[in-house]
Amino acid sequence: MMKRFMPVAAAAIVTTTMSLPAFAHSELTASNPTDGQVVKKALDEVSITFSGKIEKGSDITVTDSKGKEVESNDLTIHNTEMTASFDEPLANDDYQVDWNVLSADGHPVEGTYSFSVNAKEVKEEKAAETTTEEKVETKEKEEKPATPTEEEVTGPSVGMLAAVFGGLVVVIGGGLFFLLRKK
């Protein structure tokens, strides 16, 4: 009897463990600005990058030191990167970024990091003279790889639960089949 049950159990274990890597959720790999960074130039967007593709429904919320949310005019999600853009550069202050992403496997992941803006005031005339080329150079200089922040996981993903449940059904069903068949 055990000889018949072992192949079914082995198949269930192999099926369940082979599907686990496909359910890995995205992790934060970079951010601009980075966690703890003091930004010295005008900043009009916040972007974060993840290890895997992120889905629609993901979100970034930026709040100032008083807890007031800074309204973004555009949130773009492109493959592994999410960017929130603002109508005007952020004022000199401390900011907290709360992000909430939905991984390609359906697993929700969230986290928080903070940064400060301490930009020198620029006269309107000088700001108007700034060329697009200078803005691109500034953004390239500001980009630094971020250290991953602590992530809060809200619970097991639907895919993971389905794989575990499916494996259990195969093991139990196979065991019952061979037990009842022998009688």
Side-chain angles (χ1 to χ4, degrees), residues 54-71:
I54 54 177
E55 301 293 329
K56 300 279 187 219
S58 300
D59 192 32
I60 297 175
T61 304
V62 179
T63 52
D64 63 16
S65 62
K66 296 175 186 166
K68 182 181 176 193
E69 184 177 335
V70 179
E71 291 291 325

Side-chain angles (χ1 to χ4, degrees), residues 9-178:
I13 291 170
V14 168
T15 302
T16 303
T17 57
M18 293 293 284
S19 63
L20 292 180
F23 297 116
H25 54 275
S26 297
E27 294 180 5
L28 180 69
T29 58
S31 64
N32 185 26
T34 60
D35 187 23
Q37 181 178 359
V38 177
V39 180
K40 302 285 186 186
K41 305 271 184 185
L43 181 69
D44 61 356
E45 72 178 24
V46 171
S47 64
I48 51 180
T49 306
F50 295 88
S51 60
K53 185 176 179 185
I54 54 177
E55 301 293 329
K56 300 279 187 219
S58 300
D59 192 32
I60 297 175
T61 304
V62 179
T63 52
D64 63 16
S65 62
K66 296 175 186 166
K68 182 181 176 193
E69 184 177 335
V70 179
E71 291 291 325
S72 65
N73 66 356
D74 188 29
L75 178 68
T76 58
I77 299 171
H78 182 62
N79 209 6
T80 61
E81 185 175 15
M82 181 167 52
T83 304
S85 301
F86 309 103
D87 286 330
E88 296 182 17
L90 298 175
N92 289 349
D93 201 354
D94 296 326
Y95 294 92
Q96 179 173 313
V97 177
D98 295 305
W99 51 268
N100 220 331
V101 298
L102 188 59
S103 298
D105 69 350
H107 192 100
V109 182
E110 58 187 35
T112 299
Y113 74 93
S114 58
F115 67 92
S116 299
V117 175
N118 189 13
K120 293 181 180 179
E121 292 187 46
V122 181
K123 294 182 182 179
E124 289 181 34
E125 296 173 355
K126 190 171 183 180
E129 293 173 6
T130 303
T131 64
T132 305
E133 186 176 313
E134 290 172 337
K135 287 181 182 178
V136 169
E137 288 175 14
T138 301
K139 285 183 182 179
E140 289 174 356
K141 288 179 186 176
E142 286 180 356
E143 288 183 18
K144 295 179 185 176
T147 56
T149 60
E150 230 178 89
E151 297 176 5
E152 294 179 29
V153 178
T154 57
S157 70
V158 174
M160 178 65 76
L161 291 174
V164 171
F165 182 72
L168 288 173
V169 167
V170 169
V171 170
I172 293 169
L176 288 174
F177 174 76
F178 285 113

